[in-house]
Amino acid sequence: MYAPPVQRLITELGKLPGIGQRTAQRLAFHLLRADTEDANALADAIREVKERIGLCEVCFNLADEPRCRICQDARRDVELICVVEEPGDVIPIERTHEYRGRYHVLGGALSPIDGVDPEDLKIAELFTRVEAGGVREVVLATNPTTTGEATALHIAAALRERAPGVAVTRLASGLPVGADLEYADEVTLGKALAGRRAL
Ligand SMILES: [Zn+2]
């Protein structure tokens, strides 16, 4: 229907989350109309994140150096680790200004049905970090979804055995059940953090 380059752009845009066929077409036509400079800036930005952004060697958050900015920040409390599913979950927690510890990004949540098992996530790396000592509390801030809850329970049970002296807490209820942390407003999330409970 379209010239092959246009069809290719529509196909690629359509692979993005939340972008259906019609939106992909609309975006493709927008890019065709846009200045060459603006369109190239988008292409360059995509290429640059893929080339320069990797995962922090400590917490697996996004980083443009071996360690992310939070792990490099000496003012952050090293005895406190907040466990989240995705790098995108760090931002809403940072926005609450309630949390001064460090993070551990799992890279997803356990979901045996979808073939996501503990070894597919950075769970062993979390245990290694905690077992190395110097950790006072692990806050499980996985999403309040079925898979997020299952992940929190799995990690809590393992940490009770591996590191009995470390407090394991979960965000307080009040977060919309079934929703992603990413979409929680900062007041609700701040309260959930402040009111976290032992697991
Ligand atoms: Zn880090």
Side-chain angles (χ1 to χ4, degrees):
M1 190 155 136
Y2 299 113
V6 178
Q7 189 53 56
R8 183 178 159 214
L9 180 58
I10 294 171
T11 304
E12 293 306 320
L13 289 168
K15 291 179 186 171
L16 296 172
I19 306 289
Q21 182 68 14
R22 287 181 69 114
T23 307
Q25 278 177 23
R26 203 157 56 231
L27 290 171
F29 287 119
H30 170 82
L31 289 168
L32 283 166
R33 275 194 313 270
D35 292 345
T36 303
E37 202 179 308
D38 287 342
N40 284 343
L42 175 63
D44 290 345
I46 294 171
R47 201 170 291 117
E48 192 181 8
V49 292
K50 296 310 290 179
E51 280 168 5
R52 295 201 33 207
I53 304 295
L55 298 182
C56 171
E57 64 187 12
V58 177
C59 74
F60 306 99
N61 190 7
L62 299 178
D64 58 0
E65 290 176 73
R67 292 192 177 195
C68 73
R69 275 152 216 229
I70 293 169
C71 286
Q72 285 186 50
D73 185 347
R75 292 165 304 180
R76 305 288 299 221
D77 186 348
V78 291
E79 296 186 354
L80 191 55
I81 296 179
C82 180
V83 178
V84 295
E85 293 182 22
E86 302 290 349
D89 297 330
V90 169
I91 292 129
I93 294 176
E94 286 296 286
R95 273 204 305 257
T96 67
H97 301 291
E98 285 279 342
Y99 184 71
R100 297 301 302 159
R102 300 203 176 174
Y103 291 92
H104 191 90
V105 182
L106 296 172
L110 291 176
S111 180
I113 290 175
D114 303 312
V116 184
D117 297 312
E119 56 274 20
D120 299 312
L121 305 175
K122 304 292 185 193
I123 290 180
E125 289 83 349
L126 173 66
F127 296 156
T128 306
R129 259 180 101 180
V130 176
E131 284 171 324
V135 176
R136 177 178 83 243
E137 180 182 348
V138 174
V139 185
L140 298 170
T142 49
N143 291 328
T145 54
T146 316
T147 55
E149 293 295 347
T151 309
L153 292 176
H154 172 89
I155 292 173
L159 283 179
R160 263 196 297 274
E161 291 207 350
R162 290 165 175 262
V166 175
V168 179
T169 57
R170 179 89 174 110
L171 294 185
S173 50
L175 291 171
V177 172
D180 283 1
L181 221 58
E182 237 186 305
Y183 304 116
D185 71 274
E186 57 216 56
V187 175
T188 309
L189 190 52
K191 279 187 189 158
L193 259 171
R196 61 189 186 267
R197 58 188 160 76
L199 252 192

